[in-house]
Amino acid sequence: MLGLQVLSEDEIGDIVHRLAGEVSADLEGRTPVFIGVLKGCVYFLTDLTRHINKSMEIDFIQVSSYGASTTSSGSVVLVKDITVDVRDRDVYLVEDIVDTGTTLTDVVRLLEARHPRTVQIVSLLSKPSRRQVEVPITFLGIEIEDRFVVGYGLDYAENYRNLPAIYELQVENGPS
Ligand code: IMP
């Protein structure tokens, strides 16, 4: 059941706009590669990159994560790999939310094995109180408390992704 709204469409828009400005200012004339971590990144990556008026390449990676649970399995499996060659490239890894940090730690490790020039993380949301592995988020939208959220790409059992705003999800027996 949907609970309280955590971020409205307007609030998300403001955050994405600010992040796009920060990332734009960081670009150094080279053509970067934006890599979205599927599937939660879809709306964030599309809105973010549309506000960055520079040449870029876009690719996607998918790793398995939560399935139909609200707790992390603690390990990830590569489901879909990138097709762009990231060697010597500036990579911006675009993620919807950093929770325990497991997913991005593994994704960064996987990408660094391909010798990019830089890898920086752009995340819309972060739940710092849930962190098990430290993840350096260079560009962060906003920190939220330890609650399970859906909408704007974020799902619960593949539902709710298409909601334009972000809501707390109230799962029976409460998310752990
Ligand atoms: P981590 O590996 O624990 O950092 O989890 C990262 C992934 O878990 C994210 O990419 C999301 O797919 C999923 N996730 C974590 N918290 C939430 C949430 O509150 N709502 C929806 N998905 C979440």
Side-chain angles (χ1 to χ4, degrees), residues 73-99:
S73 63
S75 62
V76 299
V77 175
L78 183 63
V79 175
K80 185 224 167 285
D81 204 351
I82 52 170
T83 55
V84 168
D85 182 2
V86 294
R87 179 176 286 273
D88 294 329
R89 307 292 300 277
D90 293 318
V91 171
Y92 292 85
L93 203 47
V94 181
E95 173 71 299
D96 52 357
I97 188 165
V98 182
D99 185 21

Side-chain angles (χ1 to χ4, degrees), residues 5 8 21 24-25 42 46 60-62 64 75-76 87 96 98 102 121 132 139 147 163-164:
Q5 191 177 79
S8 68
S24 293
V42 283
T46 50
F60 297 93
I61 192 165
Q62 186 174 9
S64 71
S75 62
V76 299
R87 179 176 286 273
D96 52 357
V98 182
T102 310
I121 294 169
Q132 290 173 12
F139 304 97
R147 48 192 172 174
L163 294 173

Side-chain angles (χ1 to χ4, degrees), residues 39 85-86 116 131 138:
K39 303 175 189 171
D85 182 2
V86 294
R131 206 72 91 247
T138 314

Side-chain angles (χ1 to χ4, degrees), residues 142-166:
I142 190 168
E143 288 184 352
I144 62 168
E145 289 167 15
D146 179 10
R147 48 192 172 174
F148 199 83
V149 291
V150 293
Y152 196 68
L154 291 146
D155 77 309
Y156 173 67
E158 295 301 330
N159 286 304
Y160 305 113
R161 288 194 200 278
N162 59 317
L163 294 173
I166 296 177

Side-chain angles (χ1 to χ4, degrees), residues 18-19 29 31-32 45 59 63 80 92 103 118 120 131 134 136 141 149 162 169:
R18 172 184 47 89
L19 287 174
T31 301
L45 181 131
D59 203 348
V63 292
K80 185 224 167 285
Y92 292 85
T103 306
T118 58
Q120 296 192 88
R131 206 72 91 247
E134 250 346 283
V149 291
N162 59 317
L169 186 74

